[in-house]
Amino acid sequence: MLATAMNHDLDHSIALLTRTPAVLDALLRNLPEAWTLQTEGEHTWSALDIVGHLIHCERTDWMPRAKWLLQHGETELFPPFDRWGHIRECAGKALPQLLDEFSAIRAENLAVLRAMNLRPEELSVRGRHPALGSVTLSELLAAWAAHDLNHLHQMSRVMAHQYREAVGPFKQYMGVMQCAAHGG
Amino acid sequence: MLATAMNHDLDHSIALLTRTPAVLDALLRNLPEAWTLQTEGEHTWSALDIVGHLIHCERTDWMPRAKWLLQHGETELFPPFDRWGHIRECAGKALPQLLDEFSAIRAENLAVLRAMNLRPEELSVRGRHPALGSVTLSELLAAWAAHDLNHLHQMSRVMAHQYREAVGPFKQYMGVMQCAAHGG
């Protein structure tokens, strides 16, 4: 099948966003900590950190920015986002609790999004990202969905990294073990 | 936490291998086909193709090779593996059926693995891979688990690729959209 890029379909984004909490739950809940607490080295994230980051984004990034955009248009920059804000989210919490929190807050945010019943003309409204400049609401919401895939991609790489010695010569067949960090 | 590579722990491999069918089910079942049938371009795989490949590997790669290794040691090469064998696996099947088949055959293979009650001395037995040469049973079984992560990594990248235009300027923040194919 031809790899034509889709235009943004909000229903497709919602379909994906709805599934991510169950995906992470199926992958991580009660998995040995050797998989979930290890990182790729200093200043990199574990699977647990990634779940914390996703929660932090639910609280302060995607939907708060969507509302901000509709309220302020391009007249005011989005409030800044703290890329290390998950440190506070994760403090003192075990993975099962974080998975529960992510599931709950994602469901809340999607309920709000659905209730907004966004029309095409609203999806074209522009806001101002502090670093990226002018972005549409459509781009912001598509990025919310793609961001889930970005961190599923990162998580599978972080976990595979833990087996880089265990697999011996099979390492050369594992594209995931050749993947540079790409900043997340 | 320090990123020390784990030695191979068979229980950790089994924990991961057990979860993958539910992960793919949570992600893919009833997801719009715009996510599941698209590829990264000609001669690349869709999410559906990847599920077909995982089924094909269950039938002809990991556990069949593990048994072969214990039977023949290094005296006989593993039978060759057909990297495009999933074409036959997938023919005429929709994704829900493939997800069911993957779940069933993975469970069967793990039941056989558990029943083998492998001892450390068996995990050290060597076989002969047609391209990689001498590999231990431990490396083969660790590679089975890491291979799941390899394809979860690929799948998240293939799916994110479909939104490369929809996200607009956010693309530069999406590491997953900078990821080269790494051969899978």
Side-chain angles (χ1 to χ4, degrees), chain A residues 1-9 12-13 15-16 19 22-23 26-27 29-32 34-35 37-41 62 129 131-132 134-135 138-140 142-143 145-147 149-150 152-153 156-157 159-170 172-180 182, chain B residues 1-9 12-13 15-16 19 22-23 26-27 29-32 34-35 37-41 62 129 131-132 134-135 138-140 142-143 145-147 149-150 152-153 156-157 159-170 172-180 182:
Chain A
M1 186 164 295
L2 268 178
T4 48
M6 0 176 182
N7 290 322
H8 184 212
D9 181 318
H12 291 174
S13 292
L16 190 72
R19 280 163 171 78
V23 172
L27 180 61
R29 192 176 293 264
N30 302 322
L31 195 65
W35 289 118
L37 297 186
Q38 296 290 328
T39 68
E40 294 173 291
W62 308 108
H129 186 283
L132 298 175
S134 179
V135 297
S138 173
E139 289 164 346
L140 179 69
H147 179 262
L149 295 169
N150 193 58
L152 188 59
H153 182 257
S156 54
R157 189 189 69 225
M159 291 169 67
H161 182 74
Q162 312 312 320
Y163 260 27
R164 65 197 181 279
E165 293 179 12
V167 299
F170 287 96
Q172 65 188 274
Y173 284 177
M174 302 282 168
V176 67
M177 294 187 192
Q178 327 303 328
C179 181
H182 318 301
Chain B
M1 185 164 295
L2 269 177
T4 48
M6 355 176 186
N7 290 321
H8 184 213
D9 181 318
H12 292 173
S13 291
L16 190 74
R19 280 163 172 78
V23 172
L27 180 61
R29 193 176 292 264
N30 301 322
L31 195 65
W35 289 118
L37 298 187
Q38 296 290 328
T39 68
E40 293 173 293
W62 307 108
H129 187 283
L132 299 174
S134 178
V135 297
S138 173
E139 288 164 347
L140 179 69
H147 180 261
L149 295 169
N150 193 59
L152 188 59
H153 182 256
S156 54
R157 188 189 70 227
M159 291 170 66
H161 182 74
Q162 311 313 321
Y163 260 27
R164 65 197 181 278
E165 293 179 10
V167 300
F170 287 95
Q172 65 188 274
Y173 284 177
M174 302 284 169
V176 67
M177 295 186 191
Q178 326 303 327
C179 182
H182 317 302

Side-chain angles (χ1 to χ4, degrees), chain A residues 23-170:
Chain A
V23 172
L24 298 185
D25 209 276
L27 180 61
L28 299 176
R29 192 176 293 264
N30 302 322
L31 195 65
E33 293 186 347
W35 289 118
T36 59
L37 297 186
Q38 296 290 328
T39 68
E40 294 173 291
E42 215 179 347
H43 305 306
T44 67
W45 295 2
S46 66
L48 179 143
D49 290 327
I50 294 168
V51 178
H53 170 73
L54 291 171
I55 296 169
H56 185 64
C57 290
E58 293 298 305
R59 287 199 211 292
T60 70
D61 191 339
W62 308 108
M63 280 303 291
R65 284 182 167 185
K67 291 179 213 165
W68 182 276
L69 181 154
L70 286 173
Q71 196 174 353
H72 299 287
E74 295 191 271
T75 60
E76 291 199 40
L77 289 177
F78 298 152
F81 174 76
D82 177 3
R83 194 168 168 276
W84 291 90
H86 66 275
I87 303 290
R88 289 187 306 280
E89 286 298 342
C90 295
K93 294 178 190 166
L95 190 48
Q97 181 180 352
L98 292 171
L99 290 167
D100 290 342
E101 287 186 17
F102 177 52
S103 180
I105 193 167
R106 170 59 59 89
E108 280 170 37
N109 277 327
L110 287 176
V112 171
L113 176 64
R114 285 196 190 89
M116 288 164 83
N117 260 318
L118 293 169
R119 289 163 291 126
E121 56 270 33
E122 288 168 304
L123 288 168
S124 303
V125 172
R126 291 185 170 275
R128 193 159 292 279
H129 186 283
L132 298 175
S134 179
V135 297
T136 65
L137 179 57
S138 173
E139 289 164 346
L140 179 69
L141 296 174
W144 184 15
H147 179 262
D148 278 7
L149 295 169
N150 193 58
H151 285 290
L152 188 59
H153 182 257
Q154 177 190 24
M155 191 179 287
S156 54
R157 189 189 69 225
V158 172
M159 291 169 67
H161 182 74
Q162 312 312 320
Y163 260 27
R164 65 197 181 279
E165 293 179 12
V167 299
F170 287 96

